[in-house]
Structure formats: structure tokens, C-alpha cells
Amino acid sequence: MTWRNDFSTAMMGSAPSPLTLLERGEGAYVWDVDGKRYLDFLAGIAVNSLGHAHPALVEAVTRQISTLAHVSNYFATEPQIALAQNLRRISGAGERGRVFFGNSGAEAIEAAIKLARRNGQHKTIVALTNSFHGRTMGSVSLTGKPALREAFMPLLPGVDHIDSTIEALEAVNWADVSALVLEPIKGEAGVVELPAGFLKRARQLTAEHGALLILDEIQTGIGRTGSWFAFQQHDIVPDAIAVAKGLAGGVPIGALVTFGDASDLFELGQHGSTFGGNPLATAAGNAVIEEIERAGLVENAKVRGEQLRAALTGLPLVAEVRGSGLLIGVGLSEPVAQRVSAAALELGLIVNAANDTSIRLAPPLIIGDAEIAEFITLFTQALEASA
């Protein structure tokens, strides 16, 4: 019996069949059980910020699990407090900021939904069409993709979706809105950026009417786009941000960071998580942030992103290159993204087909010249094989 048979008979059939069986990783590379090497330009969907088996992360997790792995939310631990302080610092939330820890991005979004309800229990939450916020019932309710919603109706009431245009934003009846929740860059939609000025206008309108501006920085955060958080490139301050993916470099974690008065909305006992702020996950988060700062990886994401975009422009089938930093969407001139992704995997390169015409790239923040040169060679071959 092959591993595919073992997988399909043991695992719930809720997701597509896995591409291959991976065994280990190092830096920007992973190896499957047959010893084949892959250049990983997806990084666990923007999770493995430091690549695979980074010594700083391995050391932090090993040290922490050998002393204290879990205590529940009845107790505090030093890594938990340190990571909350780190998140307040790098986000600019400062002394007024507060942090809630969960286990995933979806759990951070669930906390954001409850925060919005605290800001107006009978008011509407506004989200964007073609957005993605996770797969729990609350996060699916915010997600603006019908294909991900329809099988689970009825969803959370009081959620409206609008198009990502300033005109649609200005047409909202803001008096009835408790919060606007959006991704600064729509990752699952194919790394689609919002129109120029959209975030600033969103901030103006929400502030004017007492609605919260909550940003889903799950994929765009922790240095991925060339700044610690994508909103920092738009001269705005949100009321809250949801953080996850790259935060602990592969150890599951999620966080909701609040700014200013939004930090006072939850009262004691209104929210919690048994594993939230787990010392193992928060120690990993601290190690990731410290290594990103030590190695200058936020700047590296910006520089390498520009280098990649320049190299991608003009390749066969490439019609458009989108995104910021090392979150890049490659728009194709033909609907062959699945074919390109499969051809790349065959060549030893991991990329993601976000939809029929978009390839998503989210390599580790540690990549350098050699990995980019190898990527361009392999990706060009995959494009040529798919034309």
C-alpha cells in the first residue's frame, strides 16, 4: 500500500490530495521521502518565515519544550508576555495596544468578529468580495468567495460584502456598521492589491462613524511585504490586526492585536483559548521576530521582492506581476496556472496556483541571489512546458 492509500484511508477527505510526501527541510529547500529536493517558494503558504529548520527557531523550541510546554490560560509565562510586547512594538500599537493569542489565523479572525460585535452587537460587519479569512464558520462568513460559503449556509448573520472599490466603500450605510474587515492584499485571490487610496478612505469612513477597521494581516504580516505589516505602507493606523502564518515560523499560533480604544472592548471572561499564548508557540514567535530583526529580513523581503518582480516580467505567459515584498502574484495570460504549478513540482520547485490564471509566490524571507536564480530557471522551464 502506498502513502497515498494510507493517507486517503486515514485522513478525512476534506481537502485535495497532497502533492507529495515530504520528509525534511533545510533553508529554502525540502526533500520528499524518495530524496528528491524541492526549492520551496510557497513556504507553507507564507508560514516558514525563516525557511526550514532554522537554527534559531530550532534552539528556541528545543529549549522551551525542555522546560515548559503548556500551562493553560490560567497562568502567564515569560515568552507569552515577551511576544505580546514584541507585537505591540513592531505593529506600533504601543502601550495602549493589547494582544489576544490563539492557535491560528482563523481563531484570530474569530476574536476579531467578537470584537466587532462588542463595538455594535446588532450592527453589520462589512467585508470584501473575493476575500479569504479562514475556514471556521465565523471566518467563512467573512470570506467573500461563494464557492467556500455555499455548502455551509446559513452562515453568521449580519455580514455584508462589498466590492473592493472606493465607490462601493462610500456607498455603505456606515451608521449601521460595527467593523470593516479586510486583507490589505488579497492573498488567496491571487495576491490582488487594493486600489490606491482604498485603505486611507476606509480608515477615514470607519473613524468618522465609529466603526472598527480590522485588518487581516495573517498572510501579509511579519515582514512578508517588506514592512512588518502591510498597513504600515499606507500611512494609517487600524483598530486591530489579525496575525498568524509567519509569526512563529511553522509553530501554530494566531494573534489579534488591538490599538487604542479598541483595546478596551473585551471585558473579563468574554474570550479565551486553552492553548492561546502557549509558551512553546510564543517562544517560537519571539525567536522569529528576533531573527528577522538580527538578519534584516524585512529589508531583504523588500529588496528580493523587487528583484523577483523584475526577473519575472517578460517571462513566457506572464501578463502581470502583483504584490509587495515577497508576497507575489504572477498573473498568466492563459488559464494554465494548475499546469504551471504541476510542471514546477516535477522540476523540483514548489509554487501555488491560487486560481486558473494566478501563481502565488511566498518564499522564505531568507532567500538570496542563488535561490532567486534557481527559481527563475525552473519557473521559466515550467512556463515553457505549460504554454
Side-chain angles (χ1 to χ4, degrees), residues 106 109-110 113 133-143 148-149 151-157 159:
I109 289 295
E110 294 289 340
I113 292 170
H133 297 287
R135 295 181 183 274
T136 59
M137 286 298 283
S139 58
V140 166
S141 301
L142 294 187
T143 292
L148 299 180
R149 296 163 50 85
F152 306 103
M153 297 292 187
L155 297 175
L156 193 70
V159 178

Side-chain angles (χ1 to χ4, degrees), residues 255-289:
L256 183 71
V257 183
T258 55
F259 296 63
D261 292 345
S263 302
D264 302 327
L265 287 170
F266 278 136
E267 297 177 4
L268 290 178
Q270 288 187 328
H271 199 46
S273 171
T274 297
F275 288 99
N278 174 289
L280 190 64
T282 50
N286 287 317
V288 167
I289 289 174

Side-chain angles (χ1 to χ4, degrees), residues 70-108:
H70 178 70
V71 295
S72 88
N73 53 358
Y74 288 127
F75 304 94
T77 65
E78 290 183 349
Q80 176 192 60
I81 296 169
L83 185 57
Q85 292 173 331
N86 272 329
L87 284 169
R88 292 197 311 185
R89 176 175 57 82
I90 64 175
S91 68
E95 293 298 315
R96 286 283 285 125
R98 295 290 183 271
V99 178
F100 166 79
F101 286 116
N103 308 295
S104 66
E107 198 173 333

